[in-house]
Amino acid sequence: METKEHILHLLLQKGFNFRYYEDQKLHFYTKEITEPSIVKWFAKENSDLEESYDFTNVSVTIEIMDDFKYAQYVFINGAEKHYQYEDLVEFKEMLEKLPNRVELR
């Protein structure tokens, strides 16, 4: 399976939504994770945020443009951290580790 097709399959499996950002005129597949234990796990696996950090009100948004040219994650609500994935392979590897259908806000 081609990388883009595999990523699209993973996005659906993981519960991403298709969203249009009107102010930017762009379409993204996006997911916001709010469950503190999953946010903490994601931070440990994917960032340099300290493990002892309080993730109670923190959420992480993961998104990729519909043309698969821009993928990123952003921590918000107290842990301001942003990361743009270098390529689709790196993004796909993160998606493969992400639990299926994490609750969305």
Side-chain angles (χ1 to χ4, degrees):
M1 184 181 309
E2 182 181 323
T3 301
K4 289 181 182 178
E5 290 174 348
H6 191 210
I7 288 174
L8 184 57
H9 174 76
L10 287 168
L11 294 171
L12 295 172
Q13 180 181 350
K14 306 299 179 175
F16 278 66
N17 290 326
F18 193 64
R19 183 173 177 186
Y20 179 65
Y21 290 96
E22 191 169 332
D23 57 331
Q24 300 172 5
K25 308 271 189 267
L26 298 172
H27 290 91
F28 281 86
Y29 293 97
T30 185
K31 176 184 204 82
E32 182 180 14
I33 302 171
T34 59
E35 170 58 43
S37 63
I38 304 290
V39 173
K40 184 174 184 174
W41 168 84
F42 187 87
K44 182 180 177 186
E45 291 285 319
N46 298 283
S47 78
D48 59 0
L49 290 174
E50 295 181 26
E51 196 170 318
S52 61
Y53 195 88
D54 180 12
F55 291 98
T56 305
N57 295 313
V58 174
S59 65
V60 60
T61 299
I62 307 165
E63 55 190 9
I64 186 168
M65 286 181 62
D66 65 338
D67 63 3
F68 298 94
K69 291 188 178 179
Y70 182 79
Q72 69 176 355
Y73 68 74
V74 179
F75 284 93
I76 55 174
N77 298 333
E80 308 310 316
K81 176 83 173 161
H82 172 266
Y83 179 76
Q84 182 175 344
Y85 289 92
E86 293 182 24
D87 56 31
L88 290 179
V89 173
E90 182 186 21
F91 184 71
K92 180 180 73 74
E93 289 171 355
M94 178 279 301
L95 285 176
E96 289 171 340
K97 296 176 189 173
L98 193 66
N100 292 342
R101 303 261 176 203
V102 175
E103 182 180 329
L104 300 173
R105 179 184 282 173

